[in-house]
Amino acid sequence: MRAIERLYRRKVPPGQLIHLELGRELASISRDVSSQLGLLIDRQGVVRHVIVGDAQGIEIPELGRARAGASRLRGLRCVHTHLGPSGLSHEDLTDMALLRLDLMAALEVDEEGGAGRVHMAHLLPSPEEEGEIGASGAASGKGENQKPPWEVNSFADLTELHNAVNPAAIVSSLEEEIARVRRNATRLETGERALLVHVDQGLPGARPAAAELAELATLVEGAGLTPSGQVIQRRRRPDPRFVIGKGRLSQILIRSLQTGVEALVFTHELTPAQMRSLADFTDLKILDRTQIILDIFAQRASSRLGKLQVELAQLRYMLPRLSTKSTALSRLTGGIGGRGPGETKLEIHRRRAHERIRRLERELEQLQRKRAQGRRRRQRREVPVLSLVGYTNAGKSTLLNALTDSAVLAEDRLFATLDTSSRRLRLPREQEVIITDTVGFIHDLPKELVAAFRSTLEELGEADLLLHVVDASDPDCEENLAAVERLLADLGLEKIPMLHVFNQMDKADEIQVANLCRRYEGVAACGIEPRTLIPLIEAASDRLGEIRQGGGTDEISQTAS
C-alpha cells in the first residue's frame, strides 16, 4: 500500500508518456500484487488517479464531465499494466474513446516483474464525410471495412517509447485536426449538430424507419438544429436503460466526438430514467421527438392563449424529469428547529412547477370562458361553422387565405401556425359561414400537447362541417389522413360530417388525385390557384345543405355537448 501511495508523488515530464523509472516501478508493483495497475496523468505530468484492478483489467473511476470545447480531449492519459504479453484490448480502446482520453497505453509485465513491450493508442479525427449508421453499425458506403476511429502503435520497450513518442505534440496536433474537421463540416451550418436515432422494432403496421427519420429531420430543422446523420438499430424492444444497445451507443459517442455532434435526438419518447442514463453516459444533450415538437410550439406560439397552452404542456412534460445528482443544493427551508437537510432544491423546483401548472390552468379557464361567449353569439345567429383540420403543413392556412382573401401566416414548414384563426366566407347560395383554421396534427402528437390544447381542439365539436385538408403530393398522404382521423376519434369528434380536400393537386399525379377523391368522396384543390377552389366551395355548400335538411345540426350539437 505504501508503494502504491508513493505513485501519487511521482511527476512525469510533459514531453514523455511515462519516464523509465516510474514505468519499471509500476511494473514491479503490479507483479507483486498480481493485479493490473493504472495511472491517470494530466498534461502537466501530475498523477491524478492510481487505479488497482485485478488480473484481468482495471476500472476507471467516474471522471466527471469533459472539459469545455467540442474539439478538446479530457486532458488525461491512462497508462496501465498487463500481466503477460497482450496488447490493448477492445475495452481499453472503447474506454479511451468514450472518456475522450488523450492517450491509452498498456505496459506488459514479464514473470520477473520487469517492463516489456508498450502499446499506445490515440483517437483519430473523423474523415470529412458523413453517412448513415445502419442496422449493422457501419456508415453507409463504408461497409465492414470501415477504418477504426483510433491508431495503435507498439514499442519494444520503454526506451524506444521514450525516443519515439512526444505525447504533448500528438495531443496538440490531434485537437487541432479535430477542430479543423469540425470547422469544415459546420462552416455553412447555423445550429447545433444533431444525430437522429431510431429503433426499428419491426412491428406490423408501424411506419417505415425512413419515414420516421425524414419527419424527425424536418422537425429538428424547424427547431433550429442541424441534422448531421442518422442511426438505425433493429431490436425487438428498446433497451430499458439506453433505448439502443450499449455497443451502438459507444459507436455514436465516438462519432459525435469526431464530427462535432452536440445532441442526440430519438424518434421514441424517452422515459426520465432513460434520459438521465443517456446524459450520464454520453455527456451530450439528449432530446426526444416530444421535446422537439414542444420547442417548435414554443417558438411559433404568438397569442396569449397559445403561449399559455405551450407552457403548460412543457411543464407537464418536464415535471417528472426534474432531477438532481446530489444533496449539494440542499437548503434549510423548514424554519427554526427543522431537522435533517431540509427541503432540497429539487423539491422546491417540483413544488414551484406544480404551482405554475395550477396558475396556468386557471388562466386558461378564464380565456376559454371568453372564447365560449363568442361561440354562443355565433350559435344564436345560426352562422354555420366550417373547420379546417389536417396534418401539419398540408396547406390549411393557404386555403384559408385563398378562400377568404386573408393574410394568415402560411409557410412551407411544420407547425407554421398554432393559433386558431376565424374568417367569414360567403357561399354561392347567399349563405354566410365562419371558416376556422386550427393547429395541425402529426403522427403520435405528444399527449402533453393534446392535453394542453384539448380545449382548443374541442372547439371543433361545434363545427357543422370539418374540411379535412390532405397534402395529395405527399407519398404518405393516406397514412397522415388516418393519423388525423385517429386523433379526431380520440377527441370524440368522429361523428361530425367531414369533407376531404386533397390539396396541392398541382404537385401530385392526376390519376392518383382522382383515385383519392373517388375513394374518400373528396374534392381536389390547390390553394395557390383560385379557379380550383370552385368545386371545393360548391361541395362544401352542398354538404351544408344536406346537413341542414337532415337535421344534422341539432344532432351534432347534442353530440358535442
Side-chain angles (χ1 to χ4, degrees):
M1 289 297 296
R2 286 194 298 271
I4 293 173
E5 289 172 354
R6 280 198 299 270
L7 295 174
Y8 274 105
R9 307 193 196 112
R10 308 301 294 268
K11 189 168 182 179
V12 181
Q16 299 181 16
L17 180 68
I18 184 171
H19 58 67
L20 300 179
E21 183 182 351
L22 178 57
R24 291 166 181 158
E25 183 179 358
L26 188 67
S28 176
I29 299 174
S30 180
R31 173 54 61 188
D32 291 342
V33 298
S34 298
S35 300
Q36 292 188 14
L37 293 181
L39 302 179
L40 290 179
I41 306 170
D42 65 17
R43 294 183 184 178
Q44 287 72 44
V46 178
V47 177
R48 295 296 183 183
H49 295 276
V50 178
I51 307 167
V52 181
D54 53 26
Q56 285 72 40
I58 61 173
E59 183 174 347
I60 299 178
E62 173 63 40
L63 299 178
R65 300 187 71 84
R67 300 161 70 225
S71 61
R72 301 181 68 181
L73 301 173
R74 190 174 289 271
L76 294 173
R77 60 182 181 270
C78 178
V79 181
H80 67 291
T81 59
H82 280 184
L83 300 179
S86 62
L88 289 166
S89 66
H90 188 269
E91 287 79 8
D92 293 334
L93 297 170
T94 303
D95 285 345
M96 173 189 66
L98 297 182
L99 297 174
R100 298 170 63 176
L101 298 176
D102 292 356
L103 300 165
M104 173 68 76
L107 174 62
E108 294 182 2
V109 180
D110 59 30
E111 295 181 356
E112 289 77 24
R117 292 178 60 82
V118 184
H119 309 275
M120 188 196 75
H122 62 79
L123 289 173
L124 292 174
S126 173
E128 297 179 40
E129 56 185 84
E130 295 183 5
E132 174 182 332
I133 298 180
S136 63
S140 61
K142 299 181 182 179
E144 297 181 357
N145 297 322
Q146 184 184 14
K147 186 178 179 181
W150 46 65
E151 179 180 315
V152 181
N153 296 292
S154 298
F155 305 91
D157 51 31
L158 289 170
T159 303
E160 181 180 343
L161 171 72
H162 174 67
N163 295 330
V165 173
N166 184 339
I170 291 176
V171 172
S172 176
S173 61
L174 179 61
E175 288 191 335
E176 288 178 3
E177 183 65 14
I178 292 175
R180 184 189 67 80
V181 170
R182 291 186 173 190
R183 284 195 300 270
N184 292 342
T186 61
R187 60 182 179 271
L188 299 177
E189 299 170 0
T190 57
E192 293 177 303
R193 306 192 89 201
L195 197 62
L196 313 184
V197 185
H198 175 70
V199 176
D200 186 0
Q201 302 181 60
L203 299 176
R207 297 182 73 196
E212 289 278 4
L213 288 168
E215 185 175 82
L216 182 63
T218 306
L219 289 169
V220 165
E221 289 177 348
L225 302 175
T226 302
S228 61
Q230 301 175 353
V231 176
I232 302 173
Q233 186 178 42
R234 295 187 178 94
R235 297 176 61 97
R236 285 190 174 182
R237 60 183 62 86
D239 183 83
R241 185 179 179 191
F242 296 120
V243 184
I244 59 177
K246 192 172 182 180
R248 184 63 51 78
L249 187 59
S250 301
Q251 294 178 0
I252 292 173
L253 188 54
I254 294 170
R255 178 174 173 179
S256 70
L257 171 64
Q258 296 174 321
T259 60
V261 169
E262 300 171 81
L264 299 183
V265 185
F266 289 78
T267 56
H268 303 75
E269 183 172 335
L270 303 177
T271 65
Q274 288 172 337
M275 195 166 288
R276 284 194 295 270
S277 298
L278 286 164
D280 292 341
F281 187 84
T282 64
D283 233 17
L284 297 173
K285 183 182 294 184
I286 305 299
L287 304 169
D288 59 15
R289 182 173 177 269
T290 300
Q291 282 179 284
I292 295 295
I293 295 176
L294 288 173
D295 188 74
I296 292 175
F297 271 58
Q299 294 179 33
R300 310 278 167 79
S302 57
S303 68
R304 176 62 176 165
L305 177 61
K307 291 178 179 179
L308 290 176
Q309 290 172 323
V310 172
E311 184 181 357
L312 180 60
Q314 288 178 315
L315 284 172
R316 285 173 173 169
Y317 176 81
M318 293 304 300
L319 185 59
R321 291 164 175 81
L322 291 175
S323 63
T324 185
K325 292 185 177 180
S326 66
T327 58
L329 296 178
S330 296
R331 295 290 183 269
L332 291 172
T333 57
I336 298 176
R339 295 182 179 180
E343 193 172 29
T344 66
K345 199 71 173 177
L346 174 62
E347 292 165 344
I348 293 174
H349 289 164
R350 284 176 174 164
R351 190 182 71 248
R352 288 177 177 170
H354 281 296
E355 293 172 352
R356 180 62 178 164
I357 287 174
R358 288 193 292 270
R359 191 179 306 119
L360 289 174
E361 289 174 342
R362 288 194 297 269
E363 290 187 43
L364 283 173
E365 288 178 2
Q366 294 175 358
L367 288 174
Q368 291 303 331
R369 282 197 293 269
K370 294 179 181 178
R371 294 172 66 91
Q373 292 175 359
R375 291 198 300 272
R376 284 194 293 271
R377 284 197 297 268
R378 289 199 299 269
Q379 289 173 353
R380 285 196 296 268
R381 296 174 184 173
E382 296 184 351
V383 179
V385 177
L386 306 183
S387 290
L388 294 168
V389 298
Y391 209 76
T392 180
N393 206 29
K396 299 184 299 299
S397 298
T398 303
L399 275 179
L400 178 67
N401 290 336
L403 289 170
T404 62
D405 195 21
S406 303
V408 174
L409 178 66
E411 297 182 359
D412 185 15
R413 58 177 182 171
L414 302 186
F415 303 113
T417 53
L418 301 181
D419 302 313
T420 301
S421 301
S422 299
R423 299 291 186 272
R424 190 175 291 270
L425 173 66
R426 181 174 291 276
L427 296 180
R429 299 176 182 177
E430 298 299 323
Q431 181 183 25
E432 283 194 346
V433 298
I434 299 296
I435 183 167
T436 63
D437 179 22
T438 58
V439 61
F441 298 156
I442 197 170
H443 280 276
D444 303 319
L445 191 66
K447 56 183 180 296
E448 291 83 8
L449 277 176
V450 175
F453 280 78
R454 179 170 292 275
S455 57
T456 299
L457 296 174
E458 285 178 348
E459 291 183 10
L460 299 174
E462 301 182 13
D464 296 274
L465 178 65
L466 297 180
L467 300 181
H468 184 172
V469 182
V470 183
D471 181 1
S473 65
D474 191 336
D476 301 321
C477 65
E478 293 192 72
E479 294 180 11
N480 297 343
L481 183 152
V484 171
E485 294 188 351
R486 281 195 300 271
L487 183 54
L488 291 174
D490 292 341
L491 294 170
L493 307 175
E494 69 277 8
K495 294 184 179 180
I496 299 179
M498 181 183 298
L499 174 63
H500 292 93
V501 181
F502 294 95
N503 193 27
Q504 303 193 35
M505 58 182 291
D506 56 320
K507 298 180 181 180
D509 181 72
E510 293 183 7
I511 298 177
Q512 180 184 0
V513 172
N515 290 334
L516 289 171
C517 292
R518 183 172 59 255
R519 190 180 312 143
Y520 293 98
E521 298 182 356
V523 59
C526 177
I528 59 176
E529 295 185 13
R531 61 182 180 81
T532 66
L533 302 180
I534 297 175
L536 167 60
I537 295 174
E538 292 177 348
S541 179
D542 292 341
R543 291 295 298 273
L544 280 176
E546 294 173 2
I547 293 170
R548 291 193 172 276
Q549 289 177 4
T553 304
D554 296 337
E555 180 182 348
I556 294 169
S557 300
Q558 292 173 5
T559 303
S561 62

